[in-house]
Amino acid sequence: MSGNVVHLHKHTDPPTAVDTRPALAVVPEQPAAPMVPLWVRSGRAIRAVVTHETTRTAARGAARHGLYVFGGARIVARRTWDGRTAARYERMLRAAEAAGNYEAAAEWEERGQRFREARHRRRMDLLHSPMDAAKGVLVGTGMGIGSLVALGVVLAIANKDVTDVVTPLMAVVEFIRLLITIVQVVWGPLVSIGPFLALLALWAVGSHQQAAPAWALPATVRDTAGEPITPSIVVKALRDLGVPALRNAIKEMGDAGASMLGPIRIAGCGVEVDVTLPSGVSTNEVQNRRRKLAENLTRHEHEVFITLPEAARTVRLWIADSGALDEPIGPSPLATDDTMTADYTKGHAPWGQDLRGDAAALSLYQRHLLITGLSNQGKTAALRALALWLALDRSVEFRIADLKGAGDWAMFIGLATILIQGPTDEHVIEATEMLEGGVAEMERRLQAADGADFPPLILLVDEAQVAFMCPAKDEDRRPYGGSKATSRYFTAARKIHNQGRAVNVLLWQGTQDPTDQNLPKLVREGAHTRASLALGTESQARMALGDKAVDGGAAPNLLRPGLDKGTVVVASDGITIPAGQASITVRTHYIDTDTAGEIAERAKALRDGVTTLHVIERGEERDPLADIFAVLGDAPRVLTADVLKRLTALDSDAYGRWTPGDLKRVLEDAGAEPYKSDGRMVVGRDRVARALTNRDADGSASASE
């Protein structure tokens, strides 16, 4: 046993091959779709048939023709009632009273009284009519029989036959019997079809008057856009405006509302009509539904303007010809008349056309100006058009700050004594100091005022919202922007608004997208002329034009951005506004940059030469003689008063309080004293240049020694 080793082997299964193929996803067996009940399928089919357009059209047609009958019956019943009673006169009386026409009301009351008296007489006559009718029948019958007998006697004598005496009577009897036979034959069918004929007559009346609800009436295929405005169209538009009191009043008026309307007058590219509203309807109920009214008149919203004239409870509708406001107006007279000049005191700037197509001209005399609107709506072009016209008055001085810096005012180089162009904080600082220089000039004029008429000084700031929103502060921590009492730009603007117009120092500002932050209340209310292009909201419109103008119908927020470019709503006493209105809408002339440059060249030709400063020097020692030479420009001589103005514009701190005596002293010390030319004191450029040369030569000689 020891030599024998017994090995026990565990029994194992032979190895199997490994399946390396990817396992297939086991898709569970989908349950069978449930059977849709037959009644569900039938309901869907019925719904499809019921909601089909053909079915709906047929249903509307059936309802329409049925309602025509009921509408026709109502109309016939009303006509019958009006004919038998004094209801018509009562309606006309109420309409006249609602319109405030008491004379017409008294006349209708008198007519109604006459109608009642005549009706009373007719009714009293009916009490005696049976006896009178009976007597008439007896008399007529007797006379008729007598006539027939007499005729029979004549026939009997002629024919020698006694029986002919009754022949005429028998003929009448036979005729009556024939009529009875005809009636017996016709009466049955007539009774049968009579009701149908009555219904057909009622249907014809209702169909002619379209006496069915709007949903049942057929869709019209006629293009009503641009159709002429008639009284019936205006009344229907007002009736369907959604004001219950107005709708009911029009229904009760005997003339269907025609008494509310004044004459429809042609007004430019549209028509104008005054509407006297009935009692119980306020004007703002109509103003607040401008879009619906325009659509009822088959116009777009921008083609209907609602204003309030002087008469109480009256709205004035101006309705443009369809598409007329999308047509451009003609070029500006500034571009077509090379000989045009301006007069600051008595003239009016040709700004554009009002909605009537009449020329709209604006007086700029002693009026601060504010124009605002959304971006890219033509604000700068509208403001620049006014400045270009005023530049044709050689007595006007411009100081301009363009805080956009896109070159829109570049043509004023050589016209403006200061031209700042750029949107940075540094440009805002310069614009602020420009206004503060204007304040210094204003104060100098106020102190020297002795009844003198000072030449106009226009301080123009385009994109003024940049200045109000500027965060920069000066060395004393006073902010340049903002609307606090310490804000430098705000303070300077307020000072000019308060006292500037008295000495012809005026502030013109252009801003965009006004808010209380970028256009403070005190600044916007300081402007005498306020104009607005398209805006986004009514609250912005109130900021731009004031509550009075907006409450009176001004709505720049309803102008179409992009489509109504250059259209401004103006509130000012410097432009002719129809009586009773607080504003006027003007489509301004567009003057492109090239044409503006040509107009500016004409303005420069009227002047001796203006040196335009682009940077205001601050905080450095001034050389008065060099500054005088700099502001003289290329002109051979300049009036001493103009030299003083240019020096003030150059540095108001150094020269703002200079008098003609100070200027004369500096020039006499340098040997370049002023002299008279054409009876007025002037400063000669050659004299100042020679004095500078001599001074520099003397300084060089002293240095060499």
Side-chain angles (χ1 to χ4, degrees):
M1 293 280 304
S2 61
N4 298 326
V5 178
V6 180
H7 296 280
L8 298 176
H9 298 281
K10 184 179 180 180
H11 178 74
T12 60
D13 294 331
T16 58
V18 178
D19 190 358
T20 61
R21 293 176 301 173
L24 296 177
V26 178
V27 180
E29 183 179 355
Q30 297 292 333
M35 291 291 291
V36 180
L38 178 61
W39 64 270
V40 174
R41 294 199 302 271
S42 302
R44 291 174 180 172
I46 294 173
R47 180 181 178 183
V49 171
V50 170
T51 58
H52 194 273
E53 185 61 29
T54 302
T55 306
R56 296 172 64 183
T57 302
R60 281 198 303 268
R64 178 171 65 252
H65 292 291
L67 291 170
Y68 279 164
V69 175
F70 290 102
R74 180 177 56 83
I75 294 172
V76 170
R78 184 166 185 174
R79 289 175 180 175
T80 304
W81 178 259
D82 287 346
R84 303 288 295 178
T85 68
R88 178 178 302 169
Y89 301 95
E90 293 292 339
R91 285 200 305 273
M92 299 298 290
L93 174 61
R94 288 195 296 270
E97 288 178 344
N101 191 348
Y102 296 106
E103 182 179 351
E107 181 180 352
W108 282 111
E109 184 177 12
E110 183 181 354
R111 290 185 180 182
Q113 187 61 32
R114 289 200 299 266
F115 171 81
R116 294 186 184 93
E117 292 176 356
R119 183 181 60 186
H120 177 71
R121 287 195 300 269
R122 289 194 301 271
R123 289 177 177 176
M124 294 303 295
D125 291 341
L126 288 176
L127 297 177
H128 306 284
S129 59
M131 296 295 296
D132 295 337
K135 291 178 181 179
V137 169
L138 291 176
V139 172
T141 303
M143 293 180 62
I145 294 175
S147 300
L148 292 174
V149 171
L151 180 60
V153 171
V154 173
L155 289 175
I157 294 173
N159 296 330
K160 298 179 180 180
D161 186 357
V162 178
T163 59
D164 287 341
V165 173
V166 296
T167 298
L169 289 174
M170 296 306 296
V172 171
V173 171
E174 289 295 330
F175 177 72
I176 294 173
R177 186 170 60 182
L178 176 62
L179 291 179
I180 293 173
T181 302
I182 294 174
V183 169
Q184 288 176 344
V185 172
V186 175
W187 182 254
L190 186 62
V191 170
S192 301
I193 67 174
F196 296 101
L197 294 177
L199 291 175
L200 181 61
L202 295 176
W203 176 89
V205 173
S207 175
H208 180 71
Q209 298 291 333
Q210 295 287 292
W215 60 265
L217 294 175
T220 179
V221 297
R222 180 172 61 93
D223 183 12
T224 59
E227 63 181 357
I229 299 298
T230 62
S232 60
I233 290 177
V234 176
V235 171
K236 187 176 184 298
L238 293 169
R239 184 195 68 193
D240 299 336
L241 201 55
V243 182
L246 181 59
R247 181 179 62 251
N248 295 335
I250 292 175
K251 286 183 178 179
E252 292 177 358
M253 292 180 183
D255 57 356
S259 61
M260 297 193 307
L261 306 184
I264 296 180
R265 304 175 296 272
I266 295 177
C269 56
V271 297
E272 186 177 75
V273 58
D274 287 350
V275 181
T276 302
L277 300 176
S279 178
V281 182
S282 63
T283 54
N284 65 339
E285 290 182 286
V286 178
Q287 286 181 301
N288 294 338
R289 291 169 171 81
R290 178 186 177 194
R291 173 176 293 181
K292 189 170 185 179
L293 177 62
E295 292 172 350
N296 291 347
L297 292 167
T298 66
R299 296 293 191 272
H300 296 291
E301 183 178 11
H302 71 278
E303 294 176 330
V304 175
F305 288 83
I306 306 172
T307 55
L308 303 180
E310 290 180 329
R313 212 173 67 237
T314 302
V315 293
R316 178 168 294 163
L317 307 181
W318 185 85
I319 307 161
D321 297 336
S322 185
L325 294 183
D326 297 327
E327 298 294 330
I329 64 174
S332 170
L334 291 173
T336 58
D337 186 359
D338 294 340
T339 63
M340 175 175 284
T341 58
D343 185 346
Y344 163 76
T345 305
K346 300 179 181 179
H348 291 73
W351 209 11
Q353 294 180 0
D354 62 16
L355 297 179
R356 293 170 170 267
D358 299 329
L362 180 67
S363 172
L364 304 173
Y365 177 64
Q366 292 189 341
R367 290 178 175 89
H368 301 299
L369 186 145
L370 171 66
I371 180 170
T372 186
L374 298 177
S375 178
N376 195 31
Q377 298 303 310
K379 168 179 54 62
T380 297
L383 184 59
R384 189 175 64 188
L386 297 176
L388 287 170
W389 175 82
L390 194 56
L392 296 175
D393 184 339
R394 65 191 309 271
S395 68
V396 179
E397 178 189 354
F398 287 94
R399 301 180 189 179
I400 300 174
D402 175 15
L403 298 181
K404 180 167 57 178
D408 293 330
W409 297 90
M411 71 286 302
F412 276 80
I413 297 175
L415 273 178
T417 53
I418 295 176
L419 179 58
I420 300 165
Q421 299 183 92
T424 66
D425 290 349
E426 182 65 24
H427 292 102
V428 172
I429 293 172
E430 293 176 355
T432 302
E433 294 182 347
M434 181 190 79
L435 256 64
E436 292 174 340
V439 172
E441 171 64 15
M442 176 191 72
E443 293 174 345
R444 183 191 70 80
R445 294 183 179 188
L446 289 170
Q447 292 174 2
D450 55 356
D453 189 11
F454 295 99
L457 170 60
I458 307 298
L459 303 166
L460 193 155
V461 182
D462 195 10
E463 306 296 343
Q465 77 279 354
V466 177
F468 286 111
M469 300 300 290
C470 177
K473 297 182 179 181
D474 62 13
E475 61 275 7
D476 297 327
R477 305 298 296 168
R478 291 182 60 197
Y480 286 94
S483 58
K484 296 180 179 179
T486 57
S487 300
R488 292 180 60 177
Y489 183 92
F490 172 78
T491 301
R494 288 294 302 142
K495 288 181 178 180
I496 296 171
H497 277 166
N498 289 338
Q499 296 178 304
R501 66 177 298 273
V503 288
N504 289 330
V505 177
L506 303 177
L507 177 59
W508 293 7
Q509 295 183 98
T511 70
Q512 63 173 260
D513 203 11
T515 64
D516 284 327
Q517 288 72 39
N518 64 26
L519 187 59
K521 177 181 173 69
L522 292 177
V523 171
R524 61 181 185 251
E525 291 186 350
H528 303 97
T529 295
R530 300 168 72 173
S532 176
L533 295 103
L535 289 173
T537 64
E538 181 180 324
S539 63
Q540 288 184 318
R542 292 183 181 276
M543 292 181 190
L545 299 177
D547 292 336
K548 180 180 178 181
V550 174
D551 291 338
N557 53 302
L558 297 181
L559 295 174
R560 301 166 299 166
L563 298 177
D564 290 325
K565 277 188 176 182
T567 299
V568 296
V569 182
V570 186
S572 171
D573 61 350
I575 192 170
T576 302
I577 297 178
Q581 297 181 202
S583 65
I584 187 171
T585 302
V586 177
R587 304 172 69 198
T588 61
H589 295 294
Y590 175 68
I591 302 176
D592 59 46
T593 303
D594 293 338
T595 305
E598 297 173 1
I599 299 170
E601 290 301 321
R602 299 207 313 262
K604 294 173 187 177
L606 299 175
R607 290 164 167 79
D608 295 330
V610 176
T611 301
T612 300
L613 301 179
H614 297 277
V615 177
I616 299 176
E617 302 294 342
R618 301 184 298 277
E620 62 182 37
E621 285 293 328
R622 308 299 315 188
D623 182 349
L625 190 61
D627 287 342
I628 292 172
F629 182 75
V631 300
L632 290 176
D634 297 328
R637 67 187 65 84
V638 178
L639 295 173
T640 55
D642 291 341
V643 174
L644 285 173
K645 290 193 301 183
R646 297 178 186 183
L647 287 173
T648 302
L650 179 64
D651 191 336
S652 61
D653 294 333
Y655 302 116
R657 298 185 180 276
W658 267 33
T659 64
D662 296 326
L663 178 62
K664 181 180 180 182
R665 176 179 51 79
V666 171
L667 292 173
E668 286 180 344
D669 291 344
E673 61 276 356
Y675 62 94
K676 280 192 175 183
S677 175
D678 295 332
R680 305 182 70 182
M681 295 300 295
V682 298
V683 178
R685 185 177 186 277
D686 292 340
R687 291 189 179 190
V688 177
R690 187 165 52 251
L692 278 172
T693 303
N694 293 337
R695 188 186 68 175
D696 294 341
D698 293 343
S700 298
S702 299
S704 63
E705 291 176 358

